[in-house]
Amino acid sequence: MGALSGVGVGRGIAVAKVLRMPEPLSPPSDEPLAADPASELERVRAALAEVAEELGARAAAAGGDAQQVLEAAALMAQDPAVLDDVRSRLEAGANAERATWDAYAAFREMLTAMGGYMAERAADLDDVAQRVVARLRGVPAPGVPVSDEPFILVARDLAPADTATLDLATTLALVTQDGGPTSHTAILARSKSLPAVVGVTGLLDAVADGQLVIVDARAGTVELDPDEASVRAARAEREARLAAASAPITEGALADGTKVPLLANVGSPKDAPAAVELGAEGVGLFRTEFLFLDASSAPSVEEQTAAYTELLRAFPGKKVIARVLDAGADKPLPFLNDAHEENPALGLRGIRALRASEQILRDQLTALAAAQAATDAELHVMAPMIADREETAYFVGLGKELGLRTVGAMAEVPSIAVLADQVLEVADFVSIGTNDLTQYTMAADRQLGSVAALQDPWHPAVLRLVKMLGDAGAAAGKPVGVCGEAAADPALAVVLVGLGVTSLSMSAPAIADVRAELLTVTLDEARERARRALEATSPAGARHAAAAQ
Ligand code: PEP
Ligand code: MG
């Protein structure tokens, strides 16, 4: 028995044996061939056939985009030109692993030189080569392991390509040694409602294939070799948490009945049906720029009116908060941004870019007002990257002039928290974008893995800014919501409410877990957790302090 800890994602719990993700293979040695080339060629031929068969079977099971990629890889494994090349290399004295490795490398170069679609497929050859060499070596193939039995996947970290082939029917939880709360693994886990613990120091040295573990995402722990009583308790807890997560959809509320509306983040009207089905009480962030990422010129008022009306129609009588175009940095729009800024995150982004091209902003607000008039959703409109009262007054003034009823500001730049009382004199509401608020508070680029540890919304510096905004909202009697990733972390959601946040918006699959967690605390308890987290000196300390009973 023993336990490891890391950062939990979600609130699920799972009990199963571990399957480790194999480490990438080391390149083969250059030792000359000691065996007979003809028998070695047969060994390679058999390995190629087995890999082709395995990839073909996985393709059939995968379906969709993954099926096509895997089918193409299966064909590559059987390419006769590769086997011919292996034969020549064996005859020239290379060992079987080296001959196979180099034959695929040459094939890869040829495809890359052809350009276009063939060049795109070239990277898949590395995976095929690794699989064939793994067979020759008698070790597990790299990539996500497959099993008929349910298992817990243990890995150093997961790449986007790995996650495409993850079998959700048998993968009960993810545990990684690297990665933080915003890593790819964490985002995937959240979107699939899979329990996960990431950033587990010492994981790969401590856990072996086949070892029984209990993964508790809420506690952020991985218990090794649990005894029978712990397994029974964990299984019962799993049933209870699954039942809570699939409990009938109710409005977001705390145990004492305090209402906390749970809203969805969407990027297109197409996201609306899933959001409604998962119990979103409205939309807390409609990222309008997602509709126009590929556009080379500004969209017309008519085109925008049609898209906004379509979304609003899905939420009759409900709140929908649309954000005007957030162009720049991680979401550049060619018709609004200058591609030559050296530091785009600190440049003409969000409201700054819109102000510099005011007609585009006017057109968008006009389209939003038309959608408001055409539907009975309760439309709110907000601007990203607002820094102070002057920018707020500019945006609110323009929005009202063009016919919008409720106009507010996003809190993403730390200055807005410091000046929250002034901003709330003019804004109808504030919504905190914790992704950018964390990036700018910690001066840590949200796209850079090297500073991921600083990109943590549990940082007490971020929490203190949230409190300033929550206090100012309460004093002004105006709503202060959260629409960044932080709202999707159930334990943090409780703390945010304790800091004065009045609604939470997140990707729709996260709503069930957050709803269940909120129901476990009263407002006084949430405030007490928030108070303890604010006193911590690190993100880990804040998590720990909030969890302590
Ligand atoms: C945020 O910054 O938290 C936010 C919700 O906006 P985006 O992630 O789209 O920048
Ligand atoms: Mg943002």
Side-chain angles (χ1 to χ4, degrees):
M1 291 248 305
L4 302 169
S5 56
V7 175
V9 180
R11 61 193 301 282
I13 186 166
V15 189
K17 289 188 176 161
V18 162
L19 264 189
R20 284 178 57 136
M21 178 113 153
E23 295 281 316
L25 293 184
S26 55
S29 80
D30 285 328
E31 237 157 79
L33 179 64
D36 164 39
S39 60
E40 285 300 276
L41 184 64
E42 281 320 301
R43 221 159 62 80
V44 175
R45 192 197 300 276
L48 287 174
E50 283 165 16
V51 168
E53 193 179 326
E54 180 202 322
L55 290 171
R58 286 181 65 184
D65 290 349
Q67 174 165 8
Q68 285 179 10
V69 171
L70 289 165
E71 274 170 359
L75 279 178
M76 286 169 179
Q78 285 167 309
D79 197 300
V82 175
L83 200 61
D84 281 349
D85 193 9
V86 172
R87 178 185 293 115
S88 325
R89 290 171 193 273
L90 287 169
E91 284 166 358
N95 68 53
E97 285 178 23
R98 175 49 71 187
T100 309
W101 192 272
D102 290 348
Y104 273 107
F107 192 17
R108 183 190 214 286
E109 258 175 48
M110 195 185 79
L111 288 190
T112 307
M114 287 164 80
Y117 177 78
M118 295 316 273
E120 279 169 32
R121 297 273 63 83
D124 300 340
L125 278 179
D126 290 344
D127 180 55
V128 176
Q130 294 240 352
R131 286 177 186 283
V132 178
V133 170
R135 293 241 167 204
L136 293 171
R137 212 175 270 186
V139 297
V144 174
V146 259
S147 165
D148 297 334
E149 298 289 312
F151 64 96
I152 285 166
L153 181 62
V154 165
R156 186 174 296 280
D157 204 358
L158 293 178
D162 300 324
T163 54
T165 53
L166 211 60
D167 179 359
L168 293 173
T170 49
T171 314
L172 297 192
L174 307 175
V175 186
T176 62
Q177 178 159 300
D178 294 344
T182 53
S183 65
H184 190 78
T185 307
I187 291 168
L188 171 92
R190 238 174 253 128
S191 70
K192 305 282 184 203
S193 299
L194 261 187
V197 182
V198 301
V200 181
T201 312
L203 173 71
L204 297 179
D205 290 334
V207 178
D209 256 337
Q211 193 168 3
L212 188 69
V213 297
I214 298 174
V215 177
D216 187 340
R218 177 147 60 171
T221 56
V222 182
E223 194 178 335
L224 312 177
D225 304 315
D227 57 28
E228 251 182 59
S230 309
V231 169
R232 259 200 312 277
R235 291 213 162 110
E237 181 65 31
R238 178 177 169 84
E239 290 309 311
R241 290 192 202 173
L242 285 174
S246 55
I249 290 171
T250 51
E251 289 182 347
L254 302 180
D256 57 14
T258 308
K259 294 251 184 294
V260 184
L262 299 175
L263 311 168
N265 291 353
V266 301
S268 143
K270 291 190 189 62
D271 300 337
V276 171
E277 193 179 322
L278 291 165
E281 294 168 55
V283 169
L285 170 63
F286 172 24
R287 291 181 161 105
T288 57
E289 64 283 346
F290 278 25
L291 292 174
F292 308 113
L293 287 178
D294 295 330
S296 51
S297 56
S300 67
V301 173
E302 295 69 37
E303 189 185 343
Q304 294 188 69
T305 305
Y308 305 153
T309 305
E310 187 185 344
L311 179 72
L312 294 189
R313 286 225 166 98
F315 293 96
K318 301 272 178 60
K319 189 197 280 193
V320 174
I321 307 182
R323 163 172 81 188
V324 291
L325 300 171
D326 181 18
D330 55 327
K331 300 179 283 280
L333 293 178
F335 57 88
L336 263 172
N337 300 116
D338 165 11
H340 304 297
E341 284 181 339
E342 277 208 12
N343 226 335
L346 302 182
L348 279 185
R349 181 188 164 185
I351 188 64
R352 306 170 189 180
L354 289 169
R355 220 171 167 175
S357 302
E358 195 183 280
Q359 193 52 46
I360 295 181
L361 176 57
R362 284 182 170 270
D363 285 353
Q364 182 169 26
L365 295 173
T366 303
L368 285 162
Q372 172 185 269
T375 65
D376 58 4
E378 199 193 307
L379 178 66
H380 289 35
V381 177
M382 64 184 180
M385 295 288 290
I386 294 274
D388 57 19
R389 186 188 201 277
E390 191 279 330
E391 285 185 355
T392 313
Y394 163 77
F395 181 69
V396 174
L398 197 59
K400 301 240 159 137
E401 174 195 321
L402 293 169
L404 291 164
R405 283 192 284 268
T406 313
V407 187
M410 278 187 88
E412 304 186 286
V413 180
S415 58
I416 198 176
V418 178
L419 302 170
D421 56 335
Q422 298 179 358
V423 166
L424 278 153
E425 281 167 12
V426 275
D428 293 327
F429 69 96
V430 164
S431 178
I432 309 175
T434 48
N435 308 335
D436 277 312
L437 186 62
T438 309
Q439 150 163 279
Y440 292 119
T441 303
M442 305 310 299
D445 189 332
R446 62 192 273 188
Q447 293 179 287
L448 264 190
S450 54
V451 290
L454 287 165
Q455 248 296 328
D456 191 333
W458 276 96
H459 200 291
V462 179
L463 300 181
R464 288 185 183 202
L465 293 179
V466 172
K467 168 128 172 61
M468 293 167 91
L469 287 155
D471 286 350
K478 293 181 177 173
V480 172
V482 166
C483 63
E485 279 291 310
D489 172 342
L492 185 49
V494 168
V495 168
L496 294 172
V497 171
L499 293 171
V501 164
T502 54
S503 67
L504 298 164
S505 188
M506 64 206 79
S507 66
I511 291 178
D513 275 356
V514 172
R515 180 190 295 115
E517 189 72 21
L518 292 181
L519 279 170
T520 66
V521 289
T522 62
L523 185 57
D524 282 346
E525 285 160 352
R527 286 184 175 148
E528 172 55 19
R529 290 191 195 187
R531 192 192 60 71
R532 292 198 302 254
L534 286 176
E535 294 310 315
T537 56
S538 66
R543 273 191 184 85
H544 189 76
Q549 294 303 318

